[in-house]
Amino acid sequence: MKSGEINISDVKVSAYTIPTDAPESDGTIEWNSTTLVLVTITAADKTGIGYSYADVSSAFFVEKNLKKIVLGKNAFDIPWIHKSMHDSVRNDSDSGIPAMAISATDNALWDLKAKILELPLALLLGKVRDDFQIYGSGGFTSYSIDRLQKQLGGWAEQGLTQVKMKIGREPEKDVERVKKAKEAVGKNCELFVDANGAYNAKQALEKAEQFAQIGVTWFEEPRPSTDLNGLHFIREHAPAKINIAAGEYGYHLSYFERMLDAGAVDVLQADATRCGGVSTFLKAGAVCQAHQLPFSSHCAPSLHLHPGLSLPGFFTAEYFYDHVRIENMLFDGVAQPVNGALHADVSRPGMGLEFKQQDAEKFKIFG
């Protein structure tokens, strides 16, 4: 071994499917379970963990295609490993399943590097803040009005100052549901809505005007993230008090640049479980800062906490109900909200998480 090299000795991948506590839906799809793909990487007797919320196919992809690329590499050479993984998927596409496989692997590499150095990832990256503002996210279209109000109102009572609900499955009912949600959270809590691309552009603009009168301040994916012209149109014509947000389906850095160049959003979102891991998430945050717009993380709050603390333009993080439930169930070291924010435990190395293998075993479907 050359001086300064700490070679990776083992890579493992597994997948776990966890049922939801009730049927869930948004404006375009329905689901009753969530799958977590977990990658562990070992070097210098330390093991880093990374994950994605993805189909089990991403676990197969890590095992068959990425593992051989990572094994034997210097654990500190994350840019080289990241590039090698991306180069290897040229004929398979750098989006979807391969992107989520790369993301889980890259996340494990960053956790490993910080653990080898015996540092929390936030200190390794360098902090610009001590806390990480979150918004409670749920309010599924499958929920009754009673459950919708209890969930969103409960977050407001816990001190969260921002909450988000799903809309778009039955557009004719959306305005009334939004009114009921706003009643539950009160004047001191911002209400966000997420259509998951369910509206057409004119319909979305009409809804934006109605939502603004109720007090909504964030309208996520009124059109699909692929429709940059539609998002730009809505952003240009929507009431000034409503921010248009999108970006969660960005799988590579060039997509975020195109979205920003198109003037499609007021707030850019990125997801380190999809976009290429912490490596690309940090770059997306820098590109967003260059455009002088706020940046937000999508889902997986425990994964985004440490990198989010290092980004000057970071605005708020999605505290997604399903993922919060899973992360509290399957990991030790999960940060809990205090006054609407998360704080990293800097006494723990890496991302501060340890996987509870025994508790997870009953959900295991691969590995």
Side-chain angles (χ1 to χ4, degrees), residues 10 47 54 66 75 114 121 133-134 139 153 177 186 192 200 224 227 242 277 291 304 307 315 320 332 344:
D10 193 26
T47 297
L66 301 184
L121 183 56
Q133 182 173 297
I134 58 174
R177 290 182 71 249
F192 299 172
N200 64 47
D227 183 10
I242 286 192
H291 283 258
H304 290 114
F315 169 41
F320 184 55
D332 282 323

Side-chain angles (χ1 to χ4, degrees), residues 18-19 34 46 57 103 113 125 127-128 172-173 195 198 202 221 223 236 248 261 291 293 315 320 323 359-360:
I18 301 93
T34 299
K46 304 286 186 179
S57 306
S103 298
K113 181 177 181 178
L125 296 174
K127 292 192 300 176
V128 295
E172 68 280 3
K173 296 182 180 180
K202 290 291 187 70
E221 282 201 316
R223 291 290 297 143
E236 287 291 292
E248 67 188 68
D261 283 346
H291 283 258
L293 288 175
F315 169 41
F320 184 55
H323 295 178
D359 292 349

Side-chain angles (χ1 to χ4, degrees), residues 21-295:
D21 60 8
E24 295 176 354
S25 64
D26 57 31
T28 52
I29 65 170
E30 301 172 296
W31 65 96
N32 57 22
S33 66
T34 299
T35 297
L36 180 142
V37 173
L38 182 82
V39 175
T40 62
I41 303 178
T42 301
D45 297 322
K46 304 286 186 179
T47 297
I49 60 174
Y51 58 92
S52 176
Y53 292 102
D55 186 81
V56 68
S57 306
S58 289
F60 298 151
F61 199 92
V62 174
E63 182 66 32
K64 183 176 183 295
N65 299 292
L66 301 184
K67 182 175 179 178
K68 60 190 175 187
I69 296 171
V70 177
L71 278 170
K73 292 286 199 306
N74 185 344
F76 287 177
D77 288 342
I78 298 176
W80 182 19
I81 299 171
H82 194 271
K83 181 181 184 301
S84 298
M85 290 191 292
H86 266 286
D87 288 348
S88 76
V89 304
R90 186 192 69 183
N91 295 340
D92 300 304
S93 169
D94 60 357
S95 301
I97 290 167
M100 290 184 280
I102 290 171
S103 298
T105 307
D106 183 84
N107 293 332
L109 288 166
W110 280 102
D111 188 54
L112 173 63
K113 181 177 181 178
K115 285 178 176 174
I116 292 171
L117 295 173
E118 298 183 349
L119 288 171
L121 183 56
L123 294 190
L124 175 63
L125 296 174
K127 292 192 300 176
V128 295
R129 61 178 58 80
D130 289 323
D131 61 14
F132 179 76
Q133 182 173 297
I134 58 174
Y135 65 88
S137 174
F140 304 110
T141 58
S142 53
Y143 280 2
S144 66
I145 294 297
D146 182 61
R147 181 160 187 183
L148 172 72
Q149 291 185 313
K150 284 182 178 178
Q151 185 184 70
L152 273 59
W155 279 322
E157 289 174 1
Q158 292 171 30
L160 274 67
T161 58
Q162 300 168 334
V163 297
K164 188 178 79 179
M165 62 182 286
K166 299 291 191 180
I167 56 173
R169 180 158 291 273
E170 297 178 282
E172 68 280 3
K173 296 182 180 180
D174 282 340
V175 171
E176 185 61 25
R177 290 182 71 249
V178 170
K179 287 180 180 177
K180 295 294 185 183
K182 185 59 180 172
E183 288 174 8
V185 303
K187 295 181 179 179
N188 297 323
C189 183
E190 290 186 77
L191 180 61
F192 299 172
V193 297
D194 184 357
N196 290 99
Y199 295 141
N200 64 47
K202 290 291 187 70
Q203 186 182 33
L205 188 57
E206 179 185 29
K207 296 293 185 186
E209 292 168 351
Q210 294 170 325
F211 295 154
Q213 293 175 9
I214 299 168
V216 170
T217 59
W218 165 303
F219 194 171
E220 185 173 330
E221 282 201 316
R223 291 290 297 143
S225 286
T226 51
D227 183 10
L228 299 184
N229 289 334
L231 288 169
H232 174 75
F233 171 81
I234 296 163
R235 183 191 181 209
E236 287 291 292
H237 294 89
K241 66 187 295 183
I242 286 192
N243 286 316
I244 304 302
E248 67 188 68
Y249 294 108
Y251 287 110
H252 32 73
L253 189 61
S254 60
Y255 172 81
F256 299 116
E257 180 67 16
R258 289 197 303 274
M259 177 168 269
L260 292 167
D261 283 346
V265 294
D266 297 297
V267 181
L268 180 70
Q269 298 172 290
D271 187 335
T273 76
R274 294 176 178 168
C275 71
V278 169
S279 292
T280 307
F281 182 80
L282 295 172
K283 293 173 184 176
V287 169
C288 192
Q289 184 182 357
H291 283 258
Q292 301 184 58
L293 288 175
F295 186 60

Side-chain angles (χ1 to χ4, degrees), residues 330-344:
L330 299 186
F331 293 95
D332 282 323
V334 174
Q336 303 302 318
V338 177
N339 297 324
L342 300 182
H343 294 73

